[in-house]
Amino acid sequence: MTRKPAEADVVIVGGGIMGTASALFLARRGRSVILLERGMIGRQASGTNFGAVRRQGRPFSQMPLANRSRELWWQLPELISDDCEFVRRGHLRIALDQTAADKLVTYATEARHVGLDAEILSGNALRSRFPWLSQKVVAGSFSPLDGHANPRLTGPAFGRAAARAGARIVENATVVHAGRTGPDFEVETAEGHRVRAPVLLLTAGAWSAAFAGLFADPAPLEVRGPQLSVTEPLPYFIGPNTSAAATNPDESVYFRQVERGNLIIGGPRHGPASIRTGLANVLPENLLLQLAQARSVVPVLARARIIRSWSGVEGYTPDAQPVIGASPRVAGLYYAFGFSGAGFQLGPAVGEVMAALIDGGASPISLEAFAPGRFPEGLSAEGAALRSIRAKGG
């Protein structure tokens, strides 16, 4: 006998921070929600990223979302009964050459118009404030209201909060079919789950493009793996989440120190990743470059030892902007994916606006820059990059 589908107001596919935050805010609005996650909650990009809770460096179109998310990050203990090791020690953005410094100053100055208050510091003033920086640093900008958190804790914490609010969270549920059955969507998993709902929200990260393709929505994603490592515990000396920019991308690096003393280091290159296996590789040459760049910015790391490294599976769009909003082709279908390595900080606000959009029909924050359907048929991430190079005469 065929099992009758479970019914809900909304079915969400994907249990990272976008999916769990959306489930939480939808449940708080009184909507019945079933969330299906192919593995464990927060296992993929939401749990394997660097953990930056920063607004500097974002496209200005993302700043309203980032600003609202900043407010929600400050409210985490009240919102989800967990602080996720979020520390408000600011975000320090530094430049390693004059060209990068000029861009940094221009960005920080213009960003004031979109709600980002960043203090611009010269090299000497920067080293006076942050004496652990090397002479290689030319300039910097400091945003005191940001910080960093533990991504391994965050997705699961949002998932538990969503469950307490009434959402049904189903782990180890691999979706094998999603389609329309009359006015509703019906989703089936390899494990035998069947769910029916008038609304389907896809928050499946790098796997989302395949789902969007089932409904003829072009959503090109390039899959990449961040390269991350952690040092042995050191005396605590770095407060802010720090990112270094340079004209030569191989000199860029970012790092933060947790209160236990370990430094988490990322950049400057990506490695291979696969949605087929769900795995991503850490390349030894990337880690050696990463450590060398970190030591050039923070000389005291000269003797620091790496004790662990990891990667994850991330999805990047051709324009480095996420896909957020309603499908232009299928009523009741919504997306929130393609955050291109910069979605962690945005997660709480994305969940809030998706709940408002689904439940009330409108988002309190403009999502125009992230519109699904903005990519033409046949566009790939690699093709878009090539077209951009040709347009610039490269």
Side-chain angles (χ1 to χ4, degrees):
M1 184 174 69
T2 303
R3 180 187 300 180
K4 182 179 178 180
E7 295 185 354
D9 294 328
V10 183
V11 57
I12 300 174
V13 176
I17 189 171
M18 305 303 167
T20 54
S22 298
L24 170 63
F25 284 107
L26 281 164
R28 290 179 61 165
R29 285 172 168 261
R31 292 297 192 111
S32 59
V33 180
I34 298 177
L35 184 151
L36 303 173
E37 162 55 41
R38 67 191 296 270
M40 304 298 289
I41 294 296
R43 165 64 182 84
Q44 293 296 336
S46 290
T48 58
N49 66 84
F50 173 67
V53 181
R54 56 94 183 165
R55 292 171 295 154
Q56 290 193 92
R58 293 190 178 280
F60 290 162
S61 57
Q62 293 184 15
M63 205 60 72
L65 269 178
N67 289 339
R68 175 55 182 158
S69 224
R70 195 276 302 165
E71 295 172 354
L72 292 172
W73 276 101
W74 283 29
Q75 300 169 23
L76 279 197
E78 295 77 25
L79 181 65
I80 63 172
S81 301
D82 198 320
D83 67 5
C84 300
E85 296 182 1
F86 172 56
V87 292
R88 299 197 306 260
R89 296 208 171 107
H91 173 220
L92 177 61
R93 195 175 182 214
I94 55 178
L96 305 184
D97 57 66
Q98 192 57 52
T99 298
D102 292 343
K103 292 180 179 179
L104 180 150
V105 170
T106 298
Y107 179 92
T109 302
E110 294 178 352
R112 291 169 184 157
H113 300 295
V114 289
L116 178 67
D117 185 14
E119 180 183 4
I120 300 170
L121 299 166
S122 68
N124 289 334
L126 198 59
R127 277 180 286 275
S128 177
R129 178 90 64 90
F130 307 104
W132 39 268
L133 290 172
S134 74
Q135 293 293 323
K136 185 175 182 179
V137 179
V138 175
S141 58
F142 180 64
S143 172
L145 301 183
D146 295 325
H148 52 93
N150 188 335
R152 295 176 65 191
L153 301 179
T154 305
F158 269 93
R160 290 191 297 271
R164 289 194 297 269
R168 180 184 171 192
I169 308 296
V170 185
E171 296 181 307
N172 298 310
T174 304
V175 173
V176 293
H177 171 75
R180 294 296 291 263
T181 301
D184 293 336
F185 294 91
E186 188 162 312
V187 181
E188 300 178 9
T189 76
E191 295 76 17
H193 302 285
R194 294 177 63 208
V195 180
R196 178 175 290 182
V199 174
L200 171 61
L201 171 59
L202 294 177
T203 58
W207 287 262
S208 296
F211 287 111
L214 296 176
F215 300 97
D217 275 339
L221 285 181
E222 180 182 357
V223 180
R224 305 177 192 171
Q227 308 286 277
L228 298 159
S229 61
V230 61
T231 72
E232 62 189 326
L234 302 170
Y236 192 87
F237 67 102
I238 295 177
N241 161 34
T242 303
S243 57
T247 302
N248 178 0
D250 274 351
E251 295 183 18
S252 300
V253 69
Y254 45 92
F255 48 88
R256 63 184 180 92
Q257 188 173 23
V258 300
E259 293 188 345
R260 293 181 296 276
N262 310 79
L263 261 77
I264 298 170
I265 309 172
R269 298 173 180 171
H270 291 94
S274 169
I275 59 172
R276 183 181 63 82
T277 64
L279 300 175
N281 292 335
V282 175
L283 303 182
E285 59 269 30
N286 288 356
L287 292 187
L288 291 173
L289 175 63
Q290 178 182 101
L291 184 58
Q293 295 308 318
R295 286 171 170 171
S296 74
V297 175
V298 186
V300 74
L301 297 181
R303 294 179 178 270
R305 292 176 293 184
I306 298 298
I307 60 173
R308 186 166 67 90
S309 62
W310 71 95
S311 186
V313 182
E314 295 180 338
Y316 288 72
T317 63
D319 57 8
Q321 293 273 40
V323 175
I324 310 175
S327 166
R329 294 174 174 82
V330 182
L333 177 61
Y334 296 84
Y335 300 118
F337 66 88
F339 289 85
S340 303
F344 184 63
Q345 189 271 350
L346 297 176
V350 170
E352 188 178 56
V353 301
M354 292 310 300
L357 183 61
I358 291 169
D359 182 57
S363 167
I365 295 173
S366 174
L367 303 176
E368 183 179 359
F370 322 125
R374 69 182 185 270
F375 302 114
E377 294 280 356
L379 180 67
S380 66
E382 296 85 349
L386 181 59
R387 281 167 43 175
S388 176
I389 291 171
R390 286 173 177 167
K392 295 175 182 177

